[in-house]
Amino acid sequence: MANRQMAQPAENPLRLSWHDTQMMATLSPQTVMDYFCRKSNPFYDHMCNNETIRMQRLGVEHLHNMLGMEYILLHVAEPILYVIRKQHRHNPSEATPIADYYIIGGTVYQAPDLANVINARILNTVVNLQSAFEEASSYARYHPNKGYYWDFSSNKVLSDKSKNDKKDPNAAKDDNSGTLFQKQRVDMLLAELLRKFPPPIPPMLQNLQQPLQVASGAEGSMGANSAENHAIGPLDVATESIDMKPPPEKKSK
């Protein structure tokens, strides 16, 4: 069986760089295209129109009359920055950009596109968040009596900070107090909400409360009557005793 060679994946051009020490000192807007079009440059495509006009010893102005791949000098910031664009020309007035290359101090790099920039930023954010969660979870402890708590004894900086917060509780309160919700306890807020929006009473409880209300009303009326009787009772008894005396008997002559 013939040996099969595994195809190696192409190297990411965003990780490549190139420079020519012999021509770095002579870079200028007039020579930067010749510097970029060196055969040792991995970013340069030798099948482009620039190579064709170089072989025919033509000027750069002939690129507008050709169709296909070409390189143009896009931006110049002497003496350190040059930007070269790779594009596909469809007609003398229309071309589609493919990639941009920038030369800083004689070293050529490929500029990343927007998708690579966003992917790199997201990946960096996820890695930092993951490392932060892992570090925070390493300080978490649990005890049946205390519950969950933080133990920063292994980290001297965090341990000193927690000790300082315990020594100066007022400073910690000032730092943590920001909103009304943070200043008040949760149970106080729940009690206030319960007072403003009381829950509905079920019908079964309402039926049980009605006899209690009737009984309490009867007891209240009896108590009021007894109080009134107690207030005017002696006068009534005296009056009744006076009214109920029999009339005086007549003496016989």
Side-chain angles (χ1 to χ4, degrees):
M1 179 181 290
N3 295 330
R4 297 181 179 179
Q5 296 181 356
M6 299 296 294
Q8 296 181 357
E11 189 175 0
N12 188 358
L14 298 177
R15 300 179 181 179
L16 297 178
S17 62
W18 176 83
H19 66 278
D20 190 347
T21 55
Q22 297 180 356
M23 297 184 61
M24 289 175 60
T26 59
L27 276 181
S28 65
Q30 292 76 25
T31 61
V32 67
M33 291 303 299
D34 293 334
Y35 178 78
F36 184 84
C37 295
R38 303 280 293 180
K39 293 183 178 181
S40 58
N41 184 6
F43 303 110
Y44 179 66
D45 186 2
H46 299 280
M47 303 300 294
C48 63
N49 295 335
N50 299 74
E51 188 69 18
T52 302
I53 63 174
R54 289 184 63 188
M55 296 288 292
Q56 298 178 2
R57 299 182 182 274
L58 299 175
V60 183
E61 62 275 4
H62 290 82
L63 288 175
H64 296 280
N65 300 324
M66 302 176 67
L67 304 179
M69 200 71 61
E70 66 180 18
Y71 294 88
I72 62 170
L73 182 60
L74 183 65
H75 179 73
V76 175
E78 293 187 271
I80 190 171
L81 176 63
Y82 302 93
V83 179
I84 296 175
R85 170 166 291 181
K86 179 181 181 180
Q87 60 185 10
H88 187 276
R89 182 165 295 280
H90 305 283
N91 51 58
S93 60
E94 183 180 0
T96 302
I98 297 176
D100 289 339
Y101 306 92
Y102 56 94
I103 304 174
I104 298 180
T107 304
V108 183
Y109 306 92
Q110 180 173 343
D113 53 5
L114 185 59
N116 287 319
V117 172
I118 295 176
N119 290 335
R121 297 293 177 86
I122 293 176
L123 180 61
N124 190 22
T125 303
V126 171
V127 170
N128 292 333
L129 287 176
Q130 184 177 1
S131 61
F133 281 125
E134 290 177 354
E135 184 177 359
S137 62
S138 64
Y139 299 123
R141 301 290 184 273
Y142 177 77
H143 193 272
N145 295 333
K146 298 180 181 179
Y148 288 98
Y149 65 96
W150 300 105
D151 183 12
F152 301 111
S153 58
S154 59
N155 193 323
K156 185 177 180 181
V157 177
L158 295 177
S159 179
D160 295 340
K161 184 178 180 181
S162 61
K163 291 180 180 179
N164 294 332
D165 293 341
K166 291 180 180 179
K167 292 180 181 178
D168 192 2
N170 295 327
K173 290 180 180 179
D174 294 339
D175 294 339
N176 297 330
S177 62
T179 62
L180 185 62
F181 180 79
Q182 293 173 344
K183 295 178 182 178
Q184 295 182 354
R185 296 177 59 184
V186 177
D187 52 357
M188 297 175 62
L189 295 178
L190 293 177
E192 184 177 358
L193 291 175
L194 186 61
R195 180 177 57 82
K196 291 182 178 180
F197 308 100
I201 301 175
M204 298 177 61
L205 297 179
Q206 290 180 358
N207 297 331
L208 293 175
Q209 287 181 354
Q210 288 179 358
L212 296 177
Q213 292 177 358
V214 172
S216 62
E219 291 178 357
S221 62
M222 292 176 63
N225 294 333
S226 62
E228 292 177 357
N229 294 333
H230 180 73
I232 61 175
L235 296 176
D236 295 339
V237 172
T239 307
E240 290 177 359
S241 60
I242 294 173
D243 296 337
M244 293 182 68
K245 284 183 179 181
E249 296 180 357
K250 292 182 179 182
K251 293 181 179 181
S252 60
K253 293 181 179 180

